[in-house]
Amino acid sequence: MAYVAIADRDHEHELHDPHTFITKYVWSQDHKVIAIQYSLTAIFVGVIALLLSGMMRLQLAFPDSFSFIAPQDYYQFVTIHGMIMVIYLLTALFLGGFGNYLIPLMCGSRDMVFPFMNMLSYWVYLLSVIILLTSFFVPGGPTGAGWTLYPPQAVMQGTPGSSWGIILMLVSLGVFIVAFTMGGLNYVTTVLQARCKGMTLMRMPLSVWGIFIATILGLLAFPALLVSAIMMTLDATIGTSFFMPAVLEAGMQNDHEGGSPILFQHLFWFFGHPEVYIVALPAFGLVSDILACHARKNIFGYRQMVWAIVAIGGLSFIVWAHHMYVSGMDPYFGFFFATTTLIIAVPTAIKVYNWVLTLYEGDIHLRVPMLFCIGFIFTFIHGGLTGLFLGNVVVDLPLSDTYFVVGHFHMVMGVSPVLVVFAAIYHWYPKITGKMYNETMGKWHFWFTFLGAYSIYLPMHYLGILGVPRRYFSYGPTEFIPESAQAMNVGITYSALFVAAAQILFFVNMFMSLRGKKSDPNPWGATTLEWRTPQHPPKHGNWGPSLPTVYRWAYDYSVPGAAKDFISQDEPAAPGAEGFDPEHPNG
Amino acid sequence: MSILGKLAEKSWLTPSAAGDGVDMNTGPEPAAKTALALFIAVLTSIFFLFAVGYRMRMHQPDWEAISDPGLLWINSVALVLASVCMHFARKSALSGDIRGVRYALTLAGALSIAFLVGQFAAWGILRESGLYAVQSPATAFFMLLTGIHALHLFGGLVVWARAAARAWQGIEVKRIRLSVELCTTYWHFLLLVWYVFFTLLLLT
Ligand code: HEM
Ligand SMILES: [Cu+2]
């Protein structure tokens, strides 16, 4: 029997076209609707996490002035803020949101290969979010163990939420991982099996590459979190001692003996480091495509960019212990991990050079998405450089657990990916909604966010060098922390509140523009397939009666001799549209 | 083309003919197989990390080895036989013999259920010998490893039950071939995992 690709069963698709409101927008199996559901949910929890961080900043700037922020509240805010931002916002938004929307459209498929499982993935994700938020309403509140959930303190009395909160947290993570796995199997299989004719691996836009490799990282790394969550749940409920050592708790020996907290740290960071690249790689991919498009130039070193993504993905599994230098380890062990950590900076640096070289002599249009991408290059270089400091054991020891680390990871994994999220939303908003937003408002949003974020995180590096420790409720009179540090904290808080308020511009813009002016089907003159759908915005099944055929890579911008300054991937080679060979620019 | 060859493609050199260099094989069959292969990779990661945790926890001073119930040997034989039956079910499915599929598939499931019952009995034996206490890390790990493995086999049995029911309903062989092939791969994988875990438990 000859196989008929799922993607080619046109007539069946007609039959299954959803007709009621419920099948169209609620229990939808359309990847675009699922993508929007994922994104809106992620952004919703992201806003909660943002509010939590505002509360933390209030406490840090004005200690003891707010009756509604007790020490245990502060720890709960820190924990839930971090957890939401890393997992429930960024991971879900990049993979469940952008991955879902872009993979089928950019690869020229009708949908994900398993649409039902894709739908299930979103609803299970929503369940994990609900479980997480429920923990605010249980006795003792959510866990206050820090997003790293280190035992033994995570499950000991005295840590906020050590009875209910931590269990709900672990269960919620387990449920999230199930959701992610269902989605992830879909994304990878779709990329491998459902590309349209002519779409070779190396003709895929870098966005797809970034999301694809990040998903593989997630599939292999989330198990480590799952394993540690299962073992910690057992420790906390039935009293096993996988991670829990014997500890004196209020003068009494607890029921545990011999468990290894270090074992937890290894498992956690075996997940935790790849996780930072699960967030970074999709951002790398999206930035590459948006930069090339708005600079009207092919991406510099396409193959290197792909290889670097793959190399970073592989290396990210052998650097995890750089988070554990202060936990004590064999010096050779530390040497090994410092070396791998520095090696991973090489492919990362290659990517940065290539972005900059893509801009070089480009026909740069400083539109809103482009501004955000350029902002990303700044913050990412900044965070990458401080990462190099921390990767060296001797430099890390005094800096670990200070605000230097907070500055580092917010630059590299907070601000940078969020700038890319904004860039991507501004770039694809016309595609998703068919409407154009207000560009002036978008530009104000960029400058407020970019400069504001810098003024939050840059000073933190100085605090860290002074030795100000992270995760403290208040410092009181501490000898090595000068008065001026407190002044700086006040400044940081003002910036933070300002940046948070500036996001209102974004929401207002996005919301009002839904009824705004119609956009062009391809307003930026982009080459990739998602701009070539017969309807705008694309309908169920994406491509109308027949799938596109791809004839070229995704970066034929400003091809000499061509009629337009871009050639879409599905335009056949014709005289004057042969494409541009960057190795022989003069023909 | 090898994967390295694919990654070396100079995709900016626009080929002359439409769709040159297509390198995918579409269709529901390979998609399901790819997804299962990926899922097995995920499970390998999970099982591997449990095993690593076990090895690391062993080195703590409070570790006391336990003697594993002899019943595990019998259970292991049952699981091997289940895998063999799955293998025959697959062979029959590929050669279009629906009766072969029915019997081999049913037998494979029955043996797997026997394995699960046996594992449960092994827990009982541990409990009676007084080693059940959760405070003993070796016992806790024994339960954890066997439990996680059993849970995955149970998940497989849910899929198996559907496939077996369809086989007995007199469905065409080719419509059930894919399910049987996927079950077989999954069973062989879980057998392998069991042998690694069992060796680990025996050695320590
Ligand atoms: C050149 C690249 C990088 C190097 C060398 C590097 C190095 C390090 C080191 C050594 C630490 C541990 C600091 C400590 O706790 O004492 C750290 C923390 C961290 N890094 Fe990076 N990093 C790099 C890039 C990134 C990227 C790309 C991300 C995310 C997208 C990231 C996210 C984080 C996070 C979240 C933490 C803190 C985790 C915590 O303790 O809560 N890093 N980095
Ligand atoms: Cu790391």
Side-chain angles (χ1 to χ4, degrees), chain A residues 193 195-196 200 202-203 303, chain B residues 8 11 14-15 21 24-25 34:
Chain A
Q193 306 276 8
R195 281 167 286 135
C196 70
T200 61
M202 295 306 269
R203 282 183 183 171
R303 284 196 302 178
Chain B
S11 52
T14 306
M24 65 196 139
N25 43 351
T34 308

Side-chain angles (χ1 to χ4, degrees), chain A residues 377-387 407-408 411 454 457-458 461:
Chain A
I377 297 181
F378 277 90
T379 56
F380 189 74
I381 290 179
H382 191 125
L385 288 177
T386 51
H408 158 68
M411 272 301 190
Y454 239 99
Y457 296 110
L458 189 66
H461 294 84

Side-chain angles (χ1 to χ4, degrees), chain B residues 1-144:
Chain B
M1 216 194 313
S2 74
I3 182 73
L4 285 183
K6 281 179 193 167
L7 288 181
E9 183 196 337
K10 296 187 173 182
S11 52
W12 51 87
L13 299 175
T14 306
S16 48
D20 265 12
V22 178
D23 64 353
M24 65 196 139
N25 43 351
T26 38
E29 284 208 20
K33 282 184 183 166
T34 308
L36 181 66
L38 286 167
F39 186 55
I40 284 181
V42 174
L43 295 184
T44 306
S45 183
I46 295 182
F47 290 127
F48 169 75
L49 289 162
F50 272 121
V52 169
Y54 182 75
R55 292 294 304 185
M56 286 180 65
R57 181 66 178 79
M58 254 178 66
H59 294 300
Q60 299 294 317
D62 69 324
W63 186 270
E64 265 177 60
I66 54 169
S67 60
D68 304 297
L71 181 58
L72 292 187
W73 287 98
I74 302 179
N75 295 349
S76 307
V77 173
L79 197 60
V80 174
L81 292 178
S83 241
V84 172
C85 289
M86 275 295 181
H87 191 77
F88 279 109
R90 177 172 171 273
K91 239 176 120 180
S92 313
L94 289 180
S95 63
D97 164 16
I98 186 72
R99 284 193 49 210
V101 174
R102 280 180 194 157
Y103 290 116
L105 203 60
T106 312
L107 205 56
L111 283 162
S112 311
I113 295 172
F115 171 84
L116 287 183
V117 173
Q119 294 291 82
F120 197 69
W123 281 27
I125 294 175
L126 264 192
R127 176 183 311 180
E128 263 152 41
S129 65
L131 288 169
Y132 189 61
V134 288
Q135 275 81 2
S136 153
T139 313
F141 260 113
F142 179 90
M143 305 254 165
L144 187 64

Side-chain angles (χ1 to χ4, degrees), chain A residues 294-441:
Chain A
H294 295 272
R296 314 311 294 161
K297 247 186 92 183
N298 63 289
I299 188 82
F300 190 91
Y302 173 82
R303 284 196 302 178
Q304 279 179 14
M305 293 302 249
V306 173
W307 297 339
I309 288 177
V310 176
I312 293 173
L315 286 170
S316 70
F317 279 102
I318 49 166
V319 299
W320 77 90
H322 64 214
H323 296 274
M324 299 167 57
Y325 290 149
V326 290
S327 304
M329 60 174 79
D330 188 304
Y332 288 107
F333 213 58
F335 174 73
F336 173 80
F337 281 100
T339 312
T340 53
T341 301
L342 298 184
I343 290 175
I344 206 172
V346 175
T348 313
I350 288 179
K351 298 196 74 77
V352 175
Y353 291 130
N354 287 357
W355 289 321
V356 177
L357 287 168
T358 302
L359 292 177
Y360 178 68
E361 291 200 326
D363 173 13
I364 296 177
H365 293 57
L366 283 182
R367 294 179 286 224
V368 187
M370 186 61 153
L371 287 175
F372 276 98
C373 285
I374 296 175
F376 159 86
I377 297 181
F378 277 90
T379 56
F380 189 74
I381 290 179
H382 191 125
L385 288 177
T386 51
L388 289 180
F389 286 52
L390 295 173
N392 290 287
V393 185
V394 281
V395 186
D396 180 66
L397 291 187
L399 290 177
S400 191
D401 283 321
T402 69
Y403 267 86
F404 192 88
V405 175
V406 180
H408 158 68
F409 73 74
H410 277 95
M411 272 301 190
V412 84
M413 170 180 217
V415 182
S416 303
V418 168
L419 290 178
V420 177
V421 165
F422 285 133
I425 292 178
Y426 283 114
H427 185 78
W428 278 287
Y429 184 87
K431 183 81 248 171
I432 298 168
T433 62
K435 298 292 164 62
M436 187 47 100
Y437 48 83
N438 180 324
E439 293 218 35
T440 319
M441 218 152 140

Side-chain angles (χ1 to χ4, degrees), chain A residues 424-494:
Chain A
I425 292 178
Y426 283 114
H427 185 78
W428 278 287
Y429 184 87
K431 183 81 248 171
I432 298 168
T433 62
K435 298 292 164 62
M436 187 47 100
Y437 48 83
N438 180 324
E439 293 218 35
T440 319
M441 218 152 140
K443 285 181 184 168
W444 281 108
H445 175 224
F446 166 72
W447 286 109
F448 286 161
T449 306
F450 176 68
L451 295 178
Y454 239 99
S455 60
I456 300 171
Y457 296 110
L458 189 66
M460 285 193 188
H461 294 84
Y462 293 94
L463 291 179
I465 290 170
L466 283 176
V468 179
R470 66 192 273 215
R471 292 182 177 165
Y472 272 41
F473 170 64
S474 77
Y475 297 94
T478 309
E479 212 169 300
F480 64 89
I481 303 179
E483 288 280 311
S484 55
Q486 186 52 31
M488 201 174 243
N489 260 331
V490 177
I492 293 177
T493 294
Y494 283 136

